[in-house]
Amino acid sequence: MAVSDGQTTKEEVGSTPVEATAPTAFDLENQSTATARGTGTGGGVTEIVRRWKREDIIKRGSLALRGLALLFSLLSFIIMASNNHGDWKNYDQYEEYRYLLAIGILSTVYTGLQALRQVHELSTRKHLLQQRTSALLDFFGDQIMAYLLISAASSAVPLTNRIRESADNLFSDTSAASISMAFLAFFALALSAMISGYKLSTQSYV
Amino acid sequence: MAVSDGQTTKEEVGSTPVEATAPTAFDLENQSTATARGTGTGGGVTEIVRRWKREDIIKRGSLALRGLALLFSLLSFIIMASNNHGDWKNYDQYEEYRYLLAIGILSTVYTGLQALRQVHELSTRKHLLQQRTSALLDFFGDQIMAYLLISAASSAVPLTNRIRESADNLFSDTSAASISMAFLAFFALALSAMISGYKLSTQSYV
Protein backbone atom coordinates (compact mmCIF):
# COMPACT_ATOMS: atom_id res chain seq x y z
CA MET A 1 0.00 0.00 0.00
CA ALA A 2 2.81 2.42 -0.80
CA VAL A 3 0.76 4.33 -3.31
CA SER A 4 -2.92 5.03 -3.21
CA ASP A 5 -4.91 4.13 -6.28
CA GLY A 6 -5.96 6.35 -9.16
CA GLN A 7 -9.05 7.71 -7.49
CA THR A 8 -7.11 9.29 -4.65
CA THR A 9 -4.43 10.77 -6.86
CA LYS A 10 -7.06 12.30 -9.05
CA GLU A 11 -8.77 14.02 -6.16
CA GLU A 12 -5.50 15.51 -5.01
CA VAL A 13 -4.77 16.75 -8.50
CA GLY A 14 -8.29 18.05 -8.96
CA SER A 15 -8.27 20.19 -5.83
CA THR A 16 -4.75 21.63 -5.97
CA PRO A 17 -3.03 21.29 -9.34
CA VAL A 18 0.02 23.18 -8.05
CA GLU A 19 0.97 20.39 -5.66
CA ALA A 20 1.22 17.86 -8.47
CA THR A 21 4.99 17.59 -8.08
CA ALA A 22 4.58 15.88 -4.73
CA PRO A 23 2.47 12.95 -6.01
CA THR A 24 4.62 12.48 -9.11
CA ALA A 25 7.71 12.11 -6.92
CA PHE A 26 6.51 8.87 -5.40
CA ASP A 27 4.38 7.83 -8.31
CA LEU A 28 7.42 7.47 -10.54
CA GLU A 29 8.69 4.26 -8.96
CA ASN A 30 5.31 2.58 -9.35
CA GLN A 31 4.71 3.73 -12.87
CA SER A 32 5.48 0.40 -14.51
CA THR A 33 3.29 -1.59 -12.13
CA ALA A 34 0.58 1.01 -12.40
CA THR A 35 0.42 0.80 -16.16
CA ALA A 36 0.65 -2.97 -15.95
CA ARG A 37 -2.43 -3.00 -13.74
CA GLY A 38 -4.35 -1.13 -16.41
CA THR A 39 -5.66 2.41 -16.74
CA GLY A 40 -8.40 2.06 -14.13
CA THR A 41 -6.11 2.00 -11.12
CA GLY A 42 -2.89 3.47 -12.51
CA GLY A 43 -1.22 6.44 -10.79
CA GLY A 44 1.74 7.23 -13.08
CA VAL A 45 2.77 10.53 -14.61
CA THR A 46 1.09 9.77 -17.92
CA GLU A 47 -2.05 8.98 -15.98
CA ILE A 48 -1.99 12.36 -14.24
CA VAL A 49 -1.39 14.18 -17.50
CA ARG A 50 -4.27 12.26 -19.06
CA ARG A 51 -6.54 13.19 -16.15
CA TRP A 52 -5.57 16.83 -16.50
CA LYS A 53 -6.38 16.72 -20.18
CA ARG A 54 -9.72 15.08 -19.46
CA GLU A 55 -10.62 17.70 -16.87
CA ASP A 56 -9.66 20.39 -19.35
CA ILE A 57 -11.87 18.82 -22.01
CA ILE A 58 -14.74 18.66 -19.52
CA LYS A 59 -14.28 22.33 -18.60
CA ARG A 60 -14.20 23.46 -22.21
CA GLY A 61 -17.06 21.14 -23.18
CA SER A 62 -19.18 22.53 -20.36
CA LEU A 63 -18.40 26.08 -21.48
CA ALA A 64 -19.25 25.23 -25.10
CA LEU A 65 -22.59 23.70 -24.05
CA ARG A 66 -23.44 26.77 -21.97
CA GLY A 67 -22.54 28.97 -24.94
CA LEU A 68 -24.84 26.95 -27.19
CA ALA A 69 -27.64 27.12 -24.61
CA LEU A 70 -27.14 30.89 -24.37
CA LEU A 71 -27.31 31.28 -28.15
CA PHE A 72 -30.42 29.14 -28.54
CA SER A 73 -32.34 30.67 -25.64
CA LEU A 74 -31.44 34.18 -26.84
CA LEU A 75 -32.75 33.28 -30.30
CA SER A 76 -35.88 31.70 -28.83
CA PHE A 77 -36.71 34.77 -26.76
CA ILE A 78 -35.94 37.32 -29.51
CA ILE A 79 -37.97 35.42 -32.10
CA MET A 80 -40.93 35.13 -29.73
CA ALA A 81 -40.71 38.77 -28.65
CA SER A 82 -40.83 39.91 -32.28
CA ASN A 83 -43.86 37.71 -32.96
CA ASN A 84 -46.41 40.52 -33.31
CA HIS A 85 -48.44 40.63 -36.48
CA GLY A 86 -51.51 42.49 -35.27
CA ASP A 87 -55.04 41.41 -34.33
CA TRP A 88 -55.14 37.83 -32.93
CA LYS A 89 -51.63 37.25 -34.22
CA ASN A 90 -49.80 38.65 -31.17
CA TYR A 91 -47.84 36.35 -28.89
CA ASP A 92 -49.16 38.07 -25.75
CA GLN A 93 -52.70 36.88 -26.40
CA TYR A 94 -51.66 33.30 -25.50
CA GLU A 95 -50.44 32.21 -22.09
CA GLU A 96 -48.25 29.46 -23.61
CA TYR A 97 -46.27 31.95 -25.66
CA ARG A 98 -45.94 34.33 -22.72
CA TYR A 99 -44.62 31.42 -20.63
CA LEU A 100 -42.13 30.50 -23.36
CA LEU A 101 -40.95 34.12 -23.59
CA ALA A 102 -40.48 34.36 -19.82
CA ILE A 103 -38.51 31.11 -19.63
CA GLY A 104 -36.45 32.20 -22.66
CA ILE A 105 -35.46 35.43 -20.89
CA LEU A 106 -34.72 33.55 -17.64
CA SER A 107 -32.60 30.99 -19.48
CA THR A 108 -30.71 33.71 -21.37
CA VAL A 109 -29.87 35.53 -18.15
CA TYR A 110 -28.88 32.32 -16.35
CA THR A 111 -26.69 30.86 -19.10
CA GLY A 112 -25.19 34.31 -19.81
CA LEU A 113 -24.10 34.79 -16.21
CA GLN A 114 -22.79 31.22 -15.97
CA ALA A 115 -20.82 31.55 -19.23
CA LEU A 116 -19.35 34.89 -18.08
CA ARG A 117 -18.28 33.34 -14.80
CA GLN A 118 -16.72 30.35 -16.55
CA VAL A 119 -14.84 32.51 -19.06
CA HIS A 120 -13.58 34.68 -16.20
CA GLU A 121 -12.43 31.62 -14.26
CA LEU A 122 -10.73 30.08 -17.30
CA SER A 123 -8.84 33.27 -18.16
CA THR A 124 -7.78 34.38 -14.66
CA ARG A 125 -7.59 30.88 -13.11
CA LYS A 126 -9.26 32.33 -10.00
CA HIS A 127 -12.53 31.09 -8.57
CA LEU A 128 -15.28 33.63 -7.89
CA LEU A 129 -17.17 31.22 -5.63
CA GLN A 130 -16.06 28.31 -3.51
CA GLN A 131 -15.65 25.14 -5.56
CA ARG A 132 -18.40 23.38 -3.64
CA THR A 133 -20.88 26.23 -3.98
CA SER A 134 -20.24 26.61 -7.68
CA ALA A 135 -20.54 22.87 -8.32
CA LEU A 136 -23.88 22.74 -6.51
CA LEU A 137 -25.09 25.90 -8.26
CA ASP A 138 -24.06 24.47 -11.64
CA PHE A 139 -25.83 21.18 -11.14
CA PHE A 140 -29.11 22.39 -9.67
CA GLY A 141 -29.25 25.48 -11.88
CA ASP A 142 -28.74 23.52 -15.09
CA GLN A 143 -31.15 20.80 -14.07
CA ILE A 144 -33.96 23.18 -13.06
CA MET A 145 -33.45 25.36 -16.14
CA ALA A 146 -33.61 22.26 -18.37
CA TYR A 147 -36.90 21.21 -16.77
CA LEU A 148 -38.34 24.71 -17.19
CA LEU A 149 -37.26 24.87 -20.85
CA ILE A 150 -38.81 21.54 -21.83
CA SER A 151 -41.95 22.44 -19.89
CA ALA A 152 -42.35 25.78 -21.71
CA ALA A 153 -41.53 24.32 -25.12
CA SER A 154 -43.95 21.40 -24.79
CA SER A 155 -46.76 23.59 -23.51
CA ALA A 156 -46.47 25.80 -26.62
CA VAL A 157 -46.48 22.95 -29.16
CA PRO A 158 -50.22 21.96 -29.07
CA LEU A 159 -51.35 25.58 -29.42
CA THR A 160 -49.18 26.03 -32.51
CA ASN A 161 -50.57 22.79 -33.97
CA ARG A 162 -54.11 24.05 -33.40
CA ILE A 163 -53.39 27.45 -34.99
CA ARG A 164 -51.83 25.70 -37.99
CA GLU A 165 -54.98 23.66 -38.55
CA SER A 166 -56.93 26.82 -39.36
CA ALA A 167 -54.28 29.17 -40.71
CA ASP A 168 -50.68 28.53 -41.79
CA ASN A 169 -49.07 31.94 -41.73
CA LEU A 170 -46.05 33.91 -40.49
CA PHE A 171 -47.36 33.93 -36.92
CA SER A 172 -47.46 30.14 -36.58
CA ASP A 173 -44.11 29.76 -38.36
CA THR A 174 -42.39 32.25 -36.07
CA SER A 175 -43.85 30.48 -33.02
CA ALA A 176 -42.60 27.14 -34.31
CA ALA A 177 -39.10 28.59 -34.81
CA SER A 178 -39.06 29.93 -31.25
CA ILE A 179 -40.22 26.56 -29.89
CA SER A 180 -37.49 24.73 -31.82
CA MET A 181 -34.83 27.05 -30.41
CA ALA A 182 -36.15 26.40 -26.90
CA PHE A 183 -35.89 22.63 -27.51
CA LEU A 184 -32.30 23.00 -28.72
CA ALA A 185 -31.44 25.08 -25.65
CA PHE A 186 -33.01 22.33 -23.54
CA PHE A 187 -30.78 19.65 -25.11
CA ALA A 188 -27.64 21.72 -24.50
CA LEU A 189 -28.60 22.38 -20.88
CA ALA A 190 -29.59 18.77 -20.20
CA LEU A 191 -26.14 17.64 -21.38
CA SER A 192 -24.53 20.41 -19.34
CA ALA A 193 -26.45 19.25 -16.25
CA MET A 194 -25.03 15.75 -16.71
CA ILE A 195 -21.49 17.13 -16.90
CA SER A 196 -22.13 19.26 -13.82
CA GLY A 197 -23.39 16.19 -11.98
CA TYR A 198 -20.21 14.36 -12.91
CA LYS A 199 -18.07 17.28 -11.69
CA LEU A 200 -20.05 17.45 -8.46
CA SER A 201 -19.56 13.77 -7.79
CA THR A 202 -15.81 13.67 -8.47
CA GLN A 203 -15.36 16.31 -5.78
CA SER A 204 -16.93 13.80 -3.36
CA TYR A 205 -19.63 16.16 -2.12
CA VAL A 206 -23.39 15.43 -2.02
CA MET B 1 1.00 6.37 3.11
CA ALA B 2 0.21 3.18 5.03
CA VAL B 3 -3.51 3.55 4.55
CA SER B 4 -5.29 4.94 1.55
CA ASP B 5 -7.90 7.57 2.20
CA GLY B 6 -11.66 7.16 2.60
CA GLN B 7 -12.44 7.32 -1.09
CA THR B 8 -10.47 4.19 -1.86
CA THR B 9 -11.78 2.20 1.05
CA LYS B 10 -15.30 3.08 0.13
CA GLU B 11 -14.89 1.87 -3.41
CA GLU B 12 -13.55 -1.46 -2.20
CA VAL B 13 -16.47 -1.83 0.16
CA GLY B 14 -18.96 -0.85 -2.51
CA SER B 15 -17.81 -3.47 -5.00
CA THR B 16 -17.20 -6.46 -2.72
CA PRO B 17 -18.71 -6.17 0.75
CA VAL B 18 -17.52 -9.68 1.64
CA GLU B 19 -13.86 -8.61 1.63
CA ALA B 20 -14.47 -5.95 4.28
CA THR B 21 -12.51 -7.93 6.87
CA ALA B 22 -9.30 -7.37 4.95
CA PRO B 23 -9.44 -3.53 5.00
CA THR B 24 -10.52 -3.42 8.64
CA ALA B 25 -7.45 -5.44 9.60
CA PHE B 26 -5.07 -2.63 8.73
CA ASP B 27 -7.53 0.16 9.29
CA LEU B 28 -7.76 -0.63 12.99
CA GLU B 29 -4.35 0.79 13.86
CA ASN B 30 -5.15 4.07 12.13
CA GLN B 31 -8.63 4.44 13.51
CA SER B 32 -7.72 7.10 16.06
CA THR B 33 -5.85 9.25 13.55
CA ALA B 34 -8.59 8.73 11.00
CA THR B 35 -11.32 9.98 13.31
CA ALA B 36 -9.06 12.82 14.43
CA ARG B 37 -8.72 13.93 10.81
CA GLY B 38 -12.50 14.17 10.55
CA THR B 39 -15.17 12.18 8.81
CA GLY B 40 -14.21 13.18 5.27
CA THR B 41 -11.03 11.14 5.07
CA GLY B 42 -11.46 8.57 7.86
CA GLY B 43 -11.07 4.87 7.14
CA GLY B 44 -11.89 3.20 10.48
CA VAL B 45 -14.39 0.48 11.29
CA THR B 46 -17.07 2.94 12.39
CA GLU B 47 -16.53 4.77 9.14
CA ILE B 48 -17.11 1.61 7.12
CA VAL B 49 -20.25 0.75 9.08
CA ARG B 50 -21.50 4.30 8.57
CA ARG B 51 -20.87 4.04 4.84
CA TRP B 52 -22.74 0.71 4.70
CA LYS B 53 -25.66 2.30 6.52
CA ARG B 54 -25.63 5.25 4.12
CA GLU B 55 -25.61 2.97 1.09
CA ASP B 56 -28.49 1.05 2.60
CA ILE B 57 -30.45 4.26 3.15
CA ILE B 58 -29.76 5.29 -0.45
CA LYS B 59 -30.97 1.92 -1.73
CA ARG B 60 -34.16 2.03 0.30
CA GLY B 61 -34.76 5.68 -0.51
CA SER B 62 -34.36 4.98 -4.21
CA LEU B 63 -36.85 2.10 -3.94
CA ALA B 64 -39.33 4.29 -2.02
CA LEU B 65 -39.09 7.03 -4.66
CA ARG B 66 -39.65 4.50 -7.46
CA GLY B 67 -42.65 3.15 -5.55
CA LEU B 68 -44.10 6.65 -5.24
CA ALA B 69 -43.48 7.34 -8.92
CA LEU B 70 -45.20 4.04 -9.79
CA LEU B 71 -48.21 4.91 -7.63
CA PHE B 72 -48.58 8.43 -9.04
CA SER B 73 -48.12 7.48 -12.68
CA LEU B 74 -50.57 4.58 -12.27
CA LEU B 75 -53.12 7.00 -10.80
CA SER B 76 -52.47 9.56 -13.53
CA PHE B 77 -53.01 7.04 -16.30
CA ILE B 78 -56.11 5.41 -14.73
CA ILE B 79 -57.76 8.77 -14.03
CA MET B 80 -57.10 9.97 -17.56
CA ALA B 81 -58.25 6.69 -19.14
CA SER B 82 -61.54 6.92 -17.23
CA ASN B 83 -62.06 10.51 -18.37
CA ASN B 84 -64.92 9.83 -20.80
CA HIS B 85 -68.12 11.80 -20.32
CA GLY B 86 -69.51 11.68 -23.85
CA ASP B 87 -69.68 14.25 -26.66
CA TRP B 88 -66.74 16.69 -26.59
CA LYS B 89 -65.88 15.54 -23.05
CA ASN B 90 -63.74 12.57 -24.07
CA TYR B 91 -60.01 12.63 -23.43
CA ASP B 92 -59.23 11.12 -26.84
CA GLN B 93 -60.50 14.21 -28.64
CA TYR B 94 -57.43 16.16 -27.46
CA GLU B 95 -53.85 15.38 -28.40
CA GLU B 96 -52.52 16.75 -25.08
CA TYR B 97 -54.58 14.27 -23.08
CA ARG B 98 -53.65 11.39 -25.36
CA TYR B 99 -49.98 12.33 -24.90
CA LEU B 100 -50.40 12.42 -21.11
CA LEU B 101 -52.11 9.02 -21.17
CA ALA B 102 -49.34 7.50 -23.29
CA ILE B 103 -46.59 8.86 -21.05
CA GLY B 104 -48.53 7.73 -17.97
CA ILE B 105 -48.64 4.16 -19.30
CA LEU B 106 -44.96 4.28 -20.27
CA SER B 107 -43.98 5.61 -16.86
CA THR B 108 -46.08 2.99 -15.07
CA VAL B 109 -44.44 0.17 -17.02
CA TYR B 110 -40.93 1.60 -16.52
CA THR B 111 -41.20 2.31 -12.79
CA GLY B 112 -43.02 -1.01 -12.24
CA LEU B 113 -40.26 -3.01 -13.88
CA GLN B 114 -37.55 -1.04 -12.05
CA ALA B 115 -39.27 -1.46 -8.66
CA LEU B 116 -39.71 -5.20 -9.28
CA ARG B 117 -36.03 -5.54 -10.14
CA GLN B 118 -34.99 -3.58 -7.05
CA VAL B 119 -37.22 -5.59 -4.71
CA HIS B 120 -35.86 -8.79 -6.23
CA GLU B 121 -32.27 -7.61 -5.76
CA LEU B 122 -32.91 -6.47 -2.18
CA SER B 123 -34.52 -9.78 -1.18
CA THR B 124 -32.19 -12.22 -2.93
CA ARG B 125 -29.05 -10.03 -2.80
CA LYS B 126 -28.32 -11.13 -6.37
CA HIS B 127 -27.93 -8.77 -9.29
CA LEU B 128 -29.99 -9.42 -12.39
CA LEU B 129 -27.81 -7.14 -14.51
CA GLN B 130 -24.18 -6.09 -14.25
CA GLN B 131 -23.72 -3.25 -11.77
CA ARG B 132 -22.48 -0.89 -14.45
CA THR B 133 -25.34 -1.65 -16.84
CA SER B 134 -27.97 -1.25 -14.14
CA ALA B 135 -26.46 2.04 -12.89
CA LEU B 136 -26.45 3.50 -16.41
CA LEU B 137 -29.97 2.19 -17.07
CA ASP B 138 -31.20 3.70 -13.79
CA PHE B 139 -29.71 7.12 -14.44
CA PHE B 140 -30.67 7.58 -18.08
CA GLY B 141 -34.05 5.88 -17.67
CA ASP B 142 -35.07 8.03 -14.70
CA GLN B 143 -33.80 11.21 -16.32
CA ILE B 144 -35.55 10.63 -19.66
CA MET B 145 -38.78 9.52 -17.97
CA ALA B 146 -38.73 12.66 -15.79
CA TYR B 147 -38.33 14.88 -18.88
CA LEU B 148 -41.18 13.07 -20.64
CA LEU B 149 -43.47 13.38 -17.61
CA ILE B 150 -42.95 17.11 -17.15
CA SER B 151 -43.33 17.62 -20.90
CA ALA B 152 -46.67 15.77 -20.98
CA ALA B 153 -48.00 17.41 -17.83
CA SER B 154 -47.13 20.94 -18.92
CA SER B 155 -48.56 20.45 -22.40
CA ALA B 156 -51.92 19.45 -20.87
CA VAL B 157 -52.16 22.41 -18.46
CA PRO B 158 -53.10 25.23 -20.92
CA LEU B 159 -55.84 23.14 -22.57
CA THR B 160 -57.42 22.45 -19.18
CA ASN B 161 -57.23 26.16 -18.34
CA ARG B 162 -58.98 26.99 -21.59
CA ILE B 163 -61.73 24.41 -21.05
CA ARG B 164 -62.28 25.75 -17.55
CA GLU B 165 -62.83 29.26 -18.88
CA SER B 166 -65.98 28.11 -20.69
CA ALA B 167 -67.16 25.17 -18.59
CA ASP B 168 -66.10 23.97 -15.14
CA ASN B 169 -67.30 20.38 -14.96
CA LEU B 170 -66.28 16.83 -14.13
CA PHE B 171 -64.25 16.55 -17.33
CA SER B 172 -61.92 19.45 -16.53
CA ASP B 173 -61.63 18.38 -12.88
CA THR B 174 -60.65 14.83 -13.80
CA SER B 175 -58.08 16.15 -16.27
CA ALA B 176 -56.63 18.43 -13.59
CA ALA B 177 -56.36 15.48 -11.19
CA SER B 178 -54.53 13.41 -13.78
CA ILE B 179 -52.14 16.28 -14.50
CA SER B 180 -51.37 16.74 -10.80
CA MET B 181 -50.57 13.05 -10.44
CA ALA B 182 -48.22 13.29 -13.42
CA PHE B 183 -46.44 16.26 -11.77
CA LEU B 184 -46.05 14.31 -8.52
CA ALA B 185 -44.65 11.34 -10.44
CA PHE B 186 -42.23 13.75 -12.11
CA PHE B 187 -40.95 15.05 -8.75
CA ALA B 188 -40.39 11.51 -7.47
CA LEU B 189 -38.54 10.49 -10.63
CA ALA B 190 -36.44 13.67 -10.74
CA LEU B 191 -35.23 12.96 -7.19
CA SER B 192 -34.66 9.33 -8.10
CA ALA B 193 -32.57 10.41 -11.10
CA MET B 194 -30.35 12.49 -8.80
CA ILE B 195 -29.82 9.50 -6.51
CA SER B 196 -29.07 7.30 -9.55
CA GLY B 197 -26.54 9.89 -10.74
CA TYR B 198 -24.88 9.80 -7.33
CA LYS B 199 -24.75 5.99 -7.37
CA LEU B 200 -23.34 6.03 -10.90
CA SER B 201 -20.58 8.45 -9.92
CA THR B 202 -19.49 6.62 -6.75
CA GLN B 203 -18.87 3.54 -8.86
CA SER B 204 -16.37 5.66 -10.83
CA TYR B 205 -17.90 4.93 -14.20
CA VAL B 206 -18.89 7.55 -16.82
Side-chain angles (χ1 to χ4, degrees), chain B residues 147-170:
Chain B
Y147 285 134
L148 285 177
L149 274 171
I150 198 176
S151 160
S154 14
S155 79
V157 168
L159 175 66
T160 313
N161 282 351
R162 209 156 281 145
I163 289 176
R164 277 211 166 141
E165 276 172 18
S166 54
D168 203 350
N169 50 23
L170 197 60

Side-chain angles (χ1 to χ4, degrees), chain A residues 41-60:
Chain A
T41 52
V45 176
T46 52
E47 185 67 16
I48 291 177
V49 171
R50 205 181 302 153
R51 280 186 201 281
W52 276 4
K53 275 190 188 155
R54 198 169 66 191
E55 285 191 0
D56 210 50
I57 289 174
I58 286 179
K59 260 187 199 159
R60 280 170 201 283

Side-chain angles (χ1 to χ4, degrees), chain B residues 110-162:
Chain B
Y110 169 77
T111 48
L113 286 178
Q114 285 276 35
L116 265 183
R117 186 177 64 85
Q118 270 186 309
V119 168
H120 182 261
E121 282 180 2
L122 269 181
S123 56
T124 62
R125 302 215 167 262
K126 271 184 209 161
H127 292 283
L128 287 178
L129 300 167
Q130 276 199 321
Q131 287 237 313
R132 177 185 182 144
T133 320
S134 77
L136 280 172
L137 193 78
D138 276 12
F139 178 62
F140 285 103
D142 286 3
Q143 191 73 273
I144 291 171
M145 212 61 241
Y147 285 134
L148 285 177
L149 274 171
I150 198 176
S151 160
S154 14
S155 79
V157 168
L159 175 66
T160 313
N161 282 351
R162 209 156 281 145

Side-chain angles (χ1 to χ4, degrees), chain B residues 10 21 32 58 74 87 99-100 109 126 133 135 161 200 204:
Chain B
K10 187 194 169 190
T21 44
S32 53
I58 286 179
L74 190 68
D87 203 16
Y99 180 33
L100 189 58
V109 170
K126 271 184 209 161
T133 320
N161 282 351
L200 188 68
S204 72

Side-chain angles (χ1 to χ4, degrees), chain A residues 1-2 4-5 7-8 95-96 139-140 143 146-147 150-151 154-155 158-159 161-162 186 190 194 201 204 206, chain B residues 1-2 4-5 7-8 95-96 139-140 143 146-147 150-151 154-155 158-159 161-162 186 190 194 198 201 204:
Chain A
M1 288 297 286
S4 54
D5 76 355
Q7 191 69 23
T8 319
E95 60 175 0
E96 291 93 330
F139 178 63
F140 286 103
Q143 191 73 273
Y147 286 135
I150 198 174
S151 161
S154 11
S155 79
L159 176 66
N161 282 351
R162 210 157 280 145
F186 155 71
M194 274 179 205
S201 62
S204 71
V206 175
Chain B
M1 288 299 284
S4 56
D5 76 356
Q7 192 69 25
T8 320
E95 61 176 359
E96 291 93 330
F139 178 62
F140 285 103
Q143 191 73 273
Y147 285 134
I150 198 176
S151 160
S154 14
S155 79
L159 175 66
N161 282 351
R162 209 156 281 145
F186 155 72
M194 276 180 203
Y198 174 67
S201 61
S204 72

